[in-house]
């Protein structure tokens, strides 16, 4: 049988760089042929060979109610009949702004945009415009989209400014971005003590999910809030991944910390291009047309995306949604860890809400990017490919978190654990 995935991948490479429209999809860190997906339903995806996989990528987070949820699809189909985009305000935008404010009260006002990258980029510009300061702080291993200021990696030494982590980013831009180690309280305190009056904002993933799952300590989060408050800097929670994923009211509700600004994406679009940034009304007043910080978007607040988002936000508020999501995720993680350890494979796991991390070759749960670097990439690769052969699709990189949806019922979790047991036995 011809492998249509391979066929399409090879032809795509001729017309699309690397054959993909976002780099991780190319299977670069695991090798092999990415699956081209034809359709998805509930907890499963089907590739171009019509082979079915249990899916733990969930479109990198958005598919929290399961793929192609009938109510979401129906709502989008209905609204599509009335037109795809108007470039004028619509009632749906007001409804979703009110809904998000209800669920995350720290978001007094918000702007809708079309991607997480736009949300974080705009939030940073807003923080700089509001404080009239240039320097920003991010943390090593956190990802906030691909805008210039944020594609920066740590320089050498704790208090040095970052270096571009991508070609095409002027070193002059990265000069304004400080990169500190995640969970390092001293680095934060010291930086604010030395140059607090120059810092526009701190942007942080309140559970890091782009270096696999790394949880912050309570002390770290409290220090961020205290230092920013004391020095008049804006605290931005990048909840593009964690928002409505780790809990109904976001990571901020788990930590009990109120950020000044929050960025959202992924889940709020229910699979369509929708993201947002928002927070304190006095800060949001700096955005044009009220203030002098410019930000705009032709398709911002697109009616189809807003409809998919509103329906998704409705479904996740139904009774016991997060209890079930969390229980399924914990069952999967505990099962994987137990079965791996029974077969002598060094695996640790962790989760929060419907988001999880699987770590190969670590003795303790990771606290930072440096810890994550010690993971055993070869073991992960073996596990990833063996599971894919068993029709279970995990994220194709050891540095990505995984996701469970409400459609991952017991039968899927049990099947996954049975397959994992076989895989671990063979890895031994
Ligand atoms: C995915 C992600 C982004 C970028 O969102 P895009 O929609 O891919 O541009 C930003 N921040 C975090 C924390 C993310 O997980």
């Amino acid at each position: 049988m011809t492998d249509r995935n391979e066929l399409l991948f090879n032809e795509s490479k001729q017309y699309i760089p690397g054959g993909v429209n976002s780099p991780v999809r190319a299977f670069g860190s695991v090798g092999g042929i990415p699956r081209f997906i034809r359709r998805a339903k509930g907890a499963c995806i089907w590739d171009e060979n019509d082979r079915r996989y249990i899916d733990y990528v969930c479109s990198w987070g958005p598919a929290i109610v399961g793929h192609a949820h009938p109510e979401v699809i129906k709502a989008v189909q209905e609204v599509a009949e009335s037109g795809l985009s108007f470039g004028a305000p619509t009632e749906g935008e007001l409804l979703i702004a009110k809904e998000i404010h209800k669920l995350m009260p720290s978001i007094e006002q918000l702007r809708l945009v079309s991607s997480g990258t736009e949300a974080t980029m705009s939030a940073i510009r807003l923080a700089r415009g509001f404080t009239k300061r240039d320097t920003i702080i991010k943390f090593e291993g956190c990802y906030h989209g691909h805008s210039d200021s944020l594609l920066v990696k740590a320089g050498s030494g704790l208090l040095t400014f970052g270096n571009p982590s991508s070609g095409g980013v002027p070193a002059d831009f990265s000069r304004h971005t400080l990169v500190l180690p995640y969970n390092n309280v001293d680095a934060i305190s010291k930086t604010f003590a030395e140059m607090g009056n120059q810092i526009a904002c701190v942007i942080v993933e309140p559970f890091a999910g782009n270096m696999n799952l790394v949880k912050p300590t309570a002390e770290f989060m409290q220090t961020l809030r205290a230092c920013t408050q004391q020095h008049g800097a804006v605290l931005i929670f990048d909840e593009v991944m964690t928002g409505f994923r780790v809990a109904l009211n976001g990571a901020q509700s788990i930590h009990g910390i109120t950020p000044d600004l929050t960025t959202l994406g992924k889940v709020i679009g229910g699979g369509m291009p929708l993201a947002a940034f928002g927070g304190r009304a006095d800060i949001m007043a700096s955005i044009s047309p009220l203030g002098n910080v410019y930000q705009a978007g032709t398709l911002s607040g697109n009616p189809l995306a807003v409809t998919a988002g509103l329906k998704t936000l409705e479904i996740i508020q139904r009774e016991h949604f997060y209890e079930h999501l969390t229980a399924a995720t914990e069952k999967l993680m505990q099962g994987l860890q137990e079965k791996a350890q029974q077969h002598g494979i060094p695996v640790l796991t962790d989760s929060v809400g419907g988001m999880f991390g699987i770590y190969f070759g670590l003795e303790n749960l990771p606290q930072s990017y440096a810890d994550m670097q010690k993971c055993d990439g070869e073991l992960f690769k073996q596990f990833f490919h063996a599971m894919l052969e068993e029709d279970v699709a995990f994220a194709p990189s050891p540095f990505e978190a995984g996701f469970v949806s409400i459609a991952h019922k017991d039968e899927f979790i049990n099947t996954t654990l049975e397959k994992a047991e076989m895989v671990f036995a063979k890895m031994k």
Side-chain angles (χ1 to χ4, degrees):
M1 195 183 80
T2 52
D3 179 357
R4 281 194 39 87
N5 299 310
E6 188 168 7
L7 214 78
L8 290 169
F9 189 44
N10 287 335
E11 196 173 0
S12 293
K13 282 194 268 193
Q14 202 179 329
Y15 297 98
I16 300 172
V20 293
N21 282 309
S22 198
V24 70
R25 298 178 193 171
F27 272 33
S29 50
V30 290
I33 306 292
R35 303 310 191 249
F36 275 57
I37 304 307
R38 181 182 285 176
R39 66 196 166 95
K41 182 83 193 160
C44 297
I45 50 175
W46 282 259
D47 74 5
E48 282 287 344
N49 299 330
D50 215 26
R51 184 165 164 178
R52 192 194 86 163
Y53 304 84
I54 302 175
D55 175 33
Y56 291 105
V57 181
C58 292
S59 186
W60 301 99
I64 198 165
V65 300
H67 289 289
H69 191 291
E71 291 175 65
V72 177
I73 300 295
K74 182 161 169 278
V76 170
Q77 280 171 340
E78 276 173 15
V79 80
E81 299 277 348
S82 304
L84 301 182
S85 171
F86 315 119
T90 57
E91 186 178 14
E93 293 160 76
L94 169 63
L95 294 178
I96 201 165
K98 282 168 78 173
E99 200 61 17
I100 291 170
H101 169 67
K102 184 187 89 185
L103 295 171
M104 288 190 189
S106 73
I107 303 182
E108 295 169 350
Q109 293 202 336
L110 66 76
R111 263 282 156 85
L112 295 176
V113 291
S114 300
S115 74
T117 292
E118 257 188 288
T120 51
M121 177 187 79
S122 306
I124 298 271
R125 181 180 305 142
L126 173 59
R128 284 172 161 160
F130 177 76
T131 57
K132 302 189 171 59
R133 300 171 180 175
D134 290 339
T135 303
I136 66 173
I137 293 178
K138 80 175 283 287
F139 297 95
E140 201 176 16
C142 284
Y143 175 69
H144 305 290
H146 62 88
S147 69
D148 286 341
S149 299
L150 294 165
L151 285 183
V152 173
K153 60 178 186 238
S156 52
L158 272 192
L159 281 186
T160 57
F161 285 90
N163 299 313
S165 63
S166 159
V169 175
D172 278 346
F173 288 15
S174 61
R175 267 197 321 117
H176 299 289
T177 305
L178 275 163
V179 184
L180 302 182
Y182 201 74
N183 270 329
N184 189 323
V185 170
D186 289 345
I188 279 290
S189 308
K190 206 168 149 207
T191 304
F192 269 97
E194 276 181 31
M195 50 186 303
N197 63 352
Q198 299 165 48
I199 293 166
C201 66
V202 173
I203 186 166
V204 65
E205 284 183 76
F207 288 99
N210 286 287
M211 48 174 158
N212 207 326
L213 170 62
V214 176
K215 289 181 176 174
T217 63
E219 191 192 5
F220 177 64
M221 297 309 283
Q222 284 154 10
T223 305
L224 295 185
R225 182 64 282 185
C227 287
T228 46
Q229 205 138 35
Q230 190 187 340
H231 294 272
V234 174
L235 179 60
I236 305 172
F237 274 12
D238 181 357
E239 295 223 42
V240 169
M241 184 182 288
T242 58
F244 310 111
R245 165 55 63 186
V246 298
L248 178 60
N249 310 100
Q252 48 200 270
S253 71
I254 297 179
H255 296 309
I257 288 180
T258 306
D260 302 306
L261 294 178
T262 299
T263 53
L264 295 168
K266 297 193 169 108
V267 169
I268 68 160
M272 296 206 66
L274 187 69
F277 65 99
R280 270 168 48 191
D282 63 323
I283 301 180
M284 293 303 287
S286 294
I287 287 276
S288 62
L290 297 179
N292 68 355
V293 177
Y294 193 70
Q295 185 276 330
T298 301
L299 294 177
S300 290
N302 173 268
L304 269 62
V306 165
T307 299
L310 270 170
K311 186 53 80 176
T312 301
L313 293 183
E314 180 191 322
I315 296 168
I316 62 176
Q317 290 179 68
R318 291 181 187 160
E319 235 180 311
H320 305 310
F321 185 95
Y322 285 89
E323 281 125 282
H324 290 161
L325 183 71
T326 302
T329 312
E330 285 176 354
K331 179 175 173 178
L332 178 69
M333 286 303 106
Q334 281 160 14
L336 281 178
Q337 181 166 319
E338 267 169 39
K339 289 184 190 308
Q341 290 177 353
Q342 277 162 21
H343 290 279
I345 311 291
V347 168
L348 292 178
T349 61
D350 202 4
S351 68
V352 52
M355 173 174 169
F356 65 76
I358 306 173
Y359 320 94
F360 286 84
L362 290 190
E363 274 164 28
N364 298 299
L365 291 175
Q367 295 265 310
S368 65
Y369 185 69
D371 288 350
M372 271 306 300
Q373 296 299 98
K374 296 178 202 137
C375 273
D376 190 328
E378 282 309 309
L379 270 185
F380 169 79
K381 240 197 261 189
Q382 270 185 49
F383 172 76
F384 169 81
H385 279 296
M387 288 303 284
L388 202 59
E389 273 308 304
E390 296 292 337
D391 302 328
V392 180
F394 284 103
S397 158
F399 292 101
E400 300 287 353
F403 304 99
V404 169
S405 83
I406 202 70
H408 286 75
K409 304 282 182 214
D410 254 0
E411 56 179 294
F412 293 113
I413 303 291
N414 291 337
T415 304
T416 304
L417 291 176
E418 282 158 27
K419 307 247 165 145
E421 170 129 50
M422 286 159 50
V423 164
F424 288 135
K426 274 190 230 152
M427 282 170 74
K428 188 185 180 188

